[in-house]
Amino acid sequence: MKKLVKVFTLAILMIMGGQAVAQTRGYMAFGASFPMSEFADGTTFSNIALGSNYDDGGAGIGFNAGLKWYFGVGVKGLSVMLSVDGFYNGPSSDLKDYYKKTKNDMESLCDNVSVSSPKYINVPAMLGVNYTYYLNDQFGIFAEAGIGGDIRFIMDYNVKGVSKVLGLKNSYNYDYETAFSLAWQAGIGIEVSKNLVISGSIYDLGKAPVKGELSSIVEGIEAPTASFENGEAHPMMLVGRIGFKF
């Protein structure tokens, strides 16, 4: 941790010093995120971290939007990078089938059934470096890497309906806690006409346990809220993006 603080401090000093000799630039990017490894695995709610002690994530292909700023340090092609991203990943195709089956099964017993499946939202902020090599005035190739922290949100998993026999409410709801973890990224790309940026990156947003509270109502009777701590979700993904400088 002390080494990480030193790196961050050095980077900030580089940014401050570089302002006098180089121009600040930035870009906004949009793209798709493809879950990797355990984050993509899992077939039912009972064998992923959202519902059990497994570490699989059950995440599907999602989308990303991000902002990056580059601060020159007086060395041609080299910049300090500051990035803030937002990732959204819904359930995988297997999990979508599972939630659909859950709804169908409940509809045999209840009316007005609704199922709201959980989704992942990750917001990482990182500090790093970028090096761009310009082949000419209109085309450049770059590589970059960064490290920082991620804030993970998981949207509630909620199932509810009204029993056909007694007309009483039935529901259960998983309310997930926000989590924080160490994160890093690395990527390569091209810059065209000093305006259009096309890139591919790997993001590892770190492991964090899935915690929260479960509340339920059975035939109109509300059960005591129960806390839970499941496995560790590990958002890791490949990201392809198109960006525009400003």
Side-chain angles (χ1 to χ4, degrees):
M1 183 61 70
K2 289 183 178 180
K3 290 183 178 180
L4 184 59
V5 171
K6 289 180 179 179
V7 171
F8 273 42
T9 302
L10 177 59
I12 292 171
L13 292 173
M14 291 172 67
I15 291 173
M16 295 175 63
Q19 295 306 297
V21 295
Q23 184 178 2
T24 301
R25 56 193 174 92
Y27 82 92
M28 177 180 291
F30 303 92
S33 60
F34 302 88
M36 300 172 59
S37 189
E38 292 178 329
F39 193 48
D41 294 338
T43 57
T44 68
F45 186 71
S46 61
N47 66 12
I48 61 175
L50 300 183
S52 71
N53 289 324
Y54 288 81
D55 290 337
D56 292 342
I61 297 172
F63 61 85
N64 160 266
L67 291 169
K68 290 187 178 182
W69 295 269
Y70 298 100
F71 305 89
V73 295
V75 178
K76 184 177 181 181
L78 183 65
S79 301
V80 171
M81 175 185 71
L82 174 64
S83 68
V84 179
D85 286 279
F87 290 92
Y88 173 92
N89 292 89
S92 65
S93 57
D94 286 335
L95 267 295
K96 287 180 181 178
D97 290 341
Y98 171 83
Y99 297 129
K100 183 177 180 180
K101 184 178 184 301
T102 298
K103 183 177 181 180
N104 291 339
D105 290 346
M106 193 167 180
E107 284 177 336
S108 65
L109 302 172
C110 297
D111 295 319
N112 302 321
V113 174
S114 66
V115 176
S116 178
S117 60
K119 292 95 174 173
Y120 294 95
I121 297 174
N122 288 278
V123 184
M126 303 190 202
L127 195 63
V129 293
N130 169 283
Y131 180 77
T132 304
Y133 178 75
Y134 290 99
L135 300 177
N136 54 52
D137 290 341
Q138 300 298 314
F139 189 84
I141 302 172
F142 69 85
E144 60 188 23
I147 189 169
D150 175 60
I151 305 174
R152 187 198 68 204
F153 306 91
I154 302 175
M155 300 174 67
D156 289 2
Y157 176 33
N158 179 270
V159 179
K160 60 184 178 181
V162 178
S163 63
K164 293 182 178 181
V165 177
L166 300 176
L168 297 174
K169 183 178 180 181
N170 290 271
S171 71
Y172 56 89
N173 184 79
Y174 286 78
D175 182 15
Y176 298 97
E177 292 183 4
T178 301
F180 303 86
S181 58
L182 183 68
W184 61 268
Q185 62 166 301
I188 58 174
I190 60 172
E191 182 181 307
V192 181
S193 299
K194 292 190 176 182
N195 183 43
L196 176 65
V197 178
I198 301 172
S199 65
S201 305
I202 181 171
Y203 276 74
D204 186 333
L205 304 183
K207 274 190 174 185
V210 176
K211 301 179 182 180
E213 293 184 336
L214 171 61
S215 56
S216 61
I217 299 175
V218 179
E219 297 298 339
I221 300 175
E222 185 173 352
T225 299
S227 299
F228 63 85
E229 180 173 350
N230 296 338
E232 293 183 316
H234 187 180
M236 187 175 182
M237 59 200 81
L238 289 174
V239 182
R241 290 186 287 203
I242 294 178
F244 302 92
K245 285 194 173 184
F246 58 84

